[in-house]
Amino acid sequence: LPASIKIRVEPDYANADSLVRMGERFKTWNRVEEVVYNQELLAKVQQNLRLLTVIGISLGAIVVLAALFLVANTIRLTIYARRLLIRTMKLVGATDQFIRQPFIVEGIAQGLLAGLLASGAVWGIYLMAQAYVPRLQPMGVFTAILFALGLIGAGAFLGWAGSVLAVRRFIKNISLH
């Protein structure tokens, strides 16, 4: 059997054009007769990766829209339940901004709680995945904290956005009669 060398390529360079250039360069070396890599498999893997990326982004967008919808509907129900109190506040001279503030704070609180729950769930899933996938790199404490803060911040932002959208329209619809 002839001598052979297996080369592992970093993920950043594992694309078709980089591998073709590397193969051409290896062929110019002395005592290299043949360079073999499965180009069809690489093309299929890259195509599947692109498809999974599009699906992931689409699902993420759907989840963001669902979160906005849920927060907005929760705030609408809260406004409807407190419509008599809001009407009374308007009758004594409360501004719409003064009436809106507690609902916006409630939306932000809901978003913070959702972000905390989401970061806990992601952390739990990550720990379970680490047990089943030996090559999964351990996440550093700094990275984990940044990720959790990002999820909590995103939750607070979505809670704020959903409550602002819901409150803006429904506070004006409460009549004084």
Side-chain angles (χ1 to χ4, degrees):
L1 293 175
S4 64
I5 298 174
K6 286 187 178 182
I7 297 175
R8 177 171 283 165
V9 180
E10 290 291 323
D12 293 337
Y13 301 104
N15 51 43
D17 58 342
S18 296
L19 291 177
V20 167
R21 280 185 282 180
M22 274 191 257
E24 294 299 322
R25 187 161 186 181
F26 292 152
K27 285 180 185 177
T28 63
W29 291 0
N30 292 335
R31 298 186 184 142
V32 172
E33 294 178 16
E34 174 180 39
V35 175
V36 177
Y37 65 95
N38 197 343
Q39 190 170 7
E40 295 83 23
L41 179 63
L42 178 66
K44 284 185 180 182
V45 167
Q46 286 181 334
Q47 181 182 11
N48 289 340
L49 184 62
R50 276 187 241 113
L51 178 66
L52 287 173
T53 302
V54 168
I55 290 171
I57 290 172
S58 300
L59 286 175
I62 290 170
V63 167
V64 166
L65 289 175
L68 284 172
F69 181 73
L70 286 173
V71 169
N73 279 335
T74 303
I75 297 298
R76 283 182 200 147
L77 288 173
T78 305
I79 291 171
Y80 182 75
R82 297 181 189 162
R83 70 187 181 282
L84 296 176
L85 176 66
I86 293 170
R87 182 178 169 272
T88 305
M89 290 172 74
K90 281 186 168 189
L91 284 172
V92 296
T95 63
D96 285 348
Q97 182 64 30
F98 181 79
I99 296 170
R100 276 187 200 122
Q101 287 174 348
F103 296 108
I104 292 173
V105 169
E106 185 177 343
I108 292 171
Q110 288 176 357
L112 286 172
L113 181 63
L116 280 170
L117 291 173
S119 61
V122 168
W123 183 251
I125 291 170
Y126 176 76
L127 290 178
M128 287 190 313
Q130 234 178 354
Y132 290 106
V133 182
R135 287 186 160 194
L136 193 62
Q137 297 293 325
M139 189 184 306
V141 175
F142 183 71
T143 306
I145 290 172
L146 277 179
F147 186 75
L149 288 176
L151 276 177
I152 293 168
F157 174 75
L158 288 174
W160 171 80
S163 62
V164 165
L165 291 173
V167 169
R168 180 178 297 158
R169 188 172 33 172
F170 286 97
I171 292 288
K172 291 180 183 178
N173 290 344
I174 295 176
S175 65
L176 298 177
H177 303 9

